[in-house]
């Protein structure tokens, strides 16, 4: 049994080592640009100027069969104790973020204004709405200035491109912290953000159908 356990451990470590080596070389760009075109990933977007020297930029996108007006309400009501984040609530709430994804437009949260500050739970960063261009751009920045999250809407004929860009700086991260961010936080962010983008897509398309 001990020999089998040691063999399984060695195999597991080998697989983990191969994955750790392959991710930066083969999978990282796909992870950080899921759904985005090359132009979307490389072009300047509103909010970039708020954190020009970020250590990490992730640009992800989804095509939505609905006009921008059917997408915008879901964006402005996002947040803890508001409309949620349309992703895996149970994971968000493991970190005390108080996320409960709404399946309907909530009128009481449609009046977001530039300068408004939204908390992420009781322990997460506070996010300030820095750019508000209705049906075009919504950009948040954390109060410590190390995270900028932009949502951009681009009309493309009968569809809307929803682009999400995260710019993150971690000035105090040591070697271990940077490794954790690279191998755990980056892939984890794709899992959560993909679910979020698809969740917004489903809700906006339903809203467009039902009016």
């Amino acid at each position: 049994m001990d020999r089998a356990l040691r063999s399984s451990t060695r195999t597991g470590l080998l697989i983990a080592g191969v994955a750790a080596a392959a991710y930066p070389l083969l999978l990282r760009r796909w992870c950080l640009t899921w759904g985005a075109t090359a132009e979307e990933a490389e072009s300047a977007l509103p909010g970039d100027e708020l954190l020009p020297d970020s250590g990490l930029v992730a640009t992800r996108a989804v095509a939505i069969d609905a006009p921008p007006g059917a997408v915008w309400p879901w964006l402005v009501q996002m947040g803890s104790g508001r409309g949620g984040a349309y992703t895996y609530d149970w994971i968000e709430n493991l970190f005390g973020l108080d996320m409960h994804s709404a399946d309907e437009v909530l009128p009481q949260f449609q009046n977001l204004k530039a300068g408004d500050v939204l908390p992420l739970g009781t322990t997460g960063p506070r996010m300030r709405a820095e750019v508000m261009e209705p049906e075009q751009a919504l950009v948040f920045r954390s109060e410590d200035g190390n995270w900028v999250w932009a949502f951009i809407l681009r009309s493309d004929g009968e569809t809307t491109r929803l682009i999400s860009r995260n710019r993150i700086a971690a000035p105090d991260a040591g070697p271990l912290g940077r490794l954790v961010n690279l191998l755990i936080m980056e892939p984890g962010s794709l899992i959560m953000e993909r679910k979020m983008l698809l969740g917004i897509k489903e809700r906006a398309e339903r809203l467009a159908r039902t009016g």
Side-chain angles (χ1 to χ4, degrees), residues 139-151:
V139 182
F140 295 97
R141 176 167 54 173
S142 62
E143 289 192 319
D144 65 8
N146 290 327
W147 178 19
V148 172
W149 195 359
F151 297 93

Side-chain angles (χ1 to χ4, degrees), residues 52-97:
D53 298 323
S54 58
L56 172 69
V57 178
T59 306
R60 297 163 178 144
V62 69
I64 300 176
D65 293 325
V71 182
W72 184 254
W74 305 101
L75 298 179
V76 297
Q77 71 181 26
M78 289 177 66
S80 299
R82 294 166 57 87
Y86 318 118
T87 184
Y88 299 102
D89 288 353
W90 68 273
I91 295 179
E92 300 273 8
N93 293 330
L94 286 177
F95 299 94
L97 296 184

Side-chain angles (χ1 to χ4, degrees), residues 155-188:
S155 181
D156 182 17
E158 296 181 355
T159 65
T160 299
R161 294 289 295 175
L162 170 59
I163 306 168
S164 168
R165 173 169 290 174
N166 282 274
R167 302 180 68 87
I168 300 172
D172 300 325
L176 179 58
R178 290 194 294 270
L179 185 63
V180 169
N181 288 338
L182 176 69
L183 300 180
I184 298 177
M185 300 304 292
E186 288 183 13

Side-chain angles (χ1 to χ4, degrees), residues 26-49:
L26 303 177
L27 299 175
R28 189 172 189 238
R29 178 168 177 78
W30 172 81
C31 177
L32 296 180
T33 61
W34 179 86
T37 65
E39 179 184 0
E40 291 167 344
E42 296 166 6
S43 65
L45 297 178
D48 286 355
E49 72 283 356

Side-chain angles (χ1 to χ4, degrees), residues 79-210:
S80 299
R82 294 166 57 87
Y86 318 118
T87 184
Y88 299 102
D89 288 353
W90 68 273
I91 295 179
E92 300 273 8
N93 293 330
L94 286 177
F95 299 94
L97 296 184
D98 187 28
M99 291 291 187
H100 305 280
S101 297
D103 284 324
E104 59 186 277
V105 173
L106 304 174
Q108 66 270 34
F109 298 128
Q110 294 298 308
N111 60 347
L112 185 69
K113 304 180 299 297
D116 287 353
V117 177
L118 305 180
L120 288 180
T122 57
T123 59
R126 288 161 53 89
M127 304 294 288
R128 184 186 304 276
E130 298 282 4
V131 177
M132 283 282 298
E133 299 176 7
E135 301 185 14
Q136 296 182 58
L138 173 59
V139 182
F140 295 97
R141 176 167 54 173
S142 62
E143 289 192 319
D144 65 8
N146 290 327
W147 178 19
V148 172
W149 195 359
F151 297 93
I152 310 301
L153 298 178
R154 289 180 173 172
S155 181
D156 182 17
E158 296 181 355
T159 65
T160 299
R161 294 289 295 175
L162 170 59
I163 306 168
S164 168
R165 173 169 290 174
N166 282 274
R167 302 180 68 87
I168 300 172
D172 300 325
L176 179 58
R178 290 194 294 270
L179 185 63
V180 169
N181 288 338
L182 176 69
L183 300 180
I184 298 177
M185 300 304 292
E186 288 183 13
S189 73
L190 171 61
I191 293 171
M192 300 298 288
E193 191 163 22
R194 178 182 180 276
K195 174 69 170 177
M196 179 200 72
L197 291 172
L198 294 177
I200 295 173
K201 171 183 171 69
E202 187 274 331
R203 288 166 171 81
E205 290 177 347
R206 185 176 69 239
L207 180 62
R209 289 194 303 269
T210 62

